[in-house]
Amino acid sequence: MEVSSALRKSSNTSAPGPSGIPYPVWKRVHKANERLLPSFFTPLLTNRYDPQAIKRANGIVLDKLGKSDYRIPSSFRIIVLLETVSRIFERLSALRLASAACSLALLYPNQCGSLAGLGCFDAVATLTLEVRLFQAASFKVATLFLDVKGGLDNVCANKVADILVEGGVSAYLVAWIMSFLSKRQCRLILRGAPKVFCLVTVCTLQGSPISHLLFVLYSASLHPTIPSDLAISYVDDMTLTVGSDSVRSNIRALQ
């Protein structure tokens, strides 16, 4: 059931990683033999190991529009294409980790991203309701929007492991996550590039189904506890909303 659920969420149009194997191939494999993929994934989790063969990715280099100088790296962005079979496995692990994190209360209560059944719509609806409640009480309302710059790139793997272990997450899952995050490789795809795989120094991976959840767990302690006001989080984006009799009081509270 877990594999079938992960495959349903995998788009047939998603570009594959270095092997060139798209999702429709794995869907046909699973349809032909539903025991094959689980028989591959289960031992990897049990033995707490993520194979090096599926830890490679292609980095597609794209121009950022409107940049004045395309001789500097910041004028480009990279779209990371992971192996599709790895993404299926990561989605399964993310489902298990999310379930454990919710049951162990490791997540910020107003977290709306990277969790099943809670998305952007829920964050917007909650914020809208809170603003209207303040306005109904004739209060002035102010909301501060925050973004954690480079959040996913700066997650510390060892700290993530400490948070999960201290929080009571199963040892096998923590060990697999550490294996998943280690010794990742990527090659850049652009004209003139040698297309040689190099070690990736960032912790969590762009495009991985489990990366945002790991960041959410990593940053949960950063969220303020303000009983009389509202803080909403959507992965690396946050809002702080306050209401009072004056705009100046709101500014002081947000500061």
Side-chain angles (χ1 to χ4, degrees), residues 84-103:
T84 49
V85 68
S86 177
R87 284 174 57 85
I88 296 170
F89 193 17
E90 293 155 31
R91 198 177 296 278
L92 296 177
S93 302
L95 289 172
R96 296 192 183 190
L97 179 59
S99 176
C102 290
S103 63

Side-chain angles (χ1 to χ4, degrees), residues 108 110 123 126-127 130-131 134 140-147 222-234 237-243 250-255:
Y108 177 61
N110 289 346
T126 302
L127 177 59
E130 189 70 13
V131 169
F134 276 128
K140 305 291 185 182
V141 191
T143 297
L144 177 66
F145 292 84
L146 303 170
D147 174 70
L222 297 178
H223 295 93
T225 303
I226 314 175
S228 60
D229 303 303
L230 180 69
I232 303 173
S233 177
Y234 188 85
D237 296 304
M238 291 180 281
T239 67
L240 294 174
T241 300
V242 296
N250 288 341
I251 293 174
R252 285 198 298 268
L254 290 173
Q255 288 175 334

Side-chain angles (χ1 to χ4, degrees), residues 109-128:
N110 289 346
Q111 175 61 242
C112 295
S114 299
L115 298 172
L118 289 173
C120 183
F121 175 83
D122 300 281
V124 173
T126 302
L127 177 59
T128 301

Side-chain angles (χ1 to χ4, degrees), residues 167-179:
V169 176
S170 299
Y172 83 91
L173 189 53
V174 177
W176 178 85
I177 289 171
M178 292 300 290
S179 176

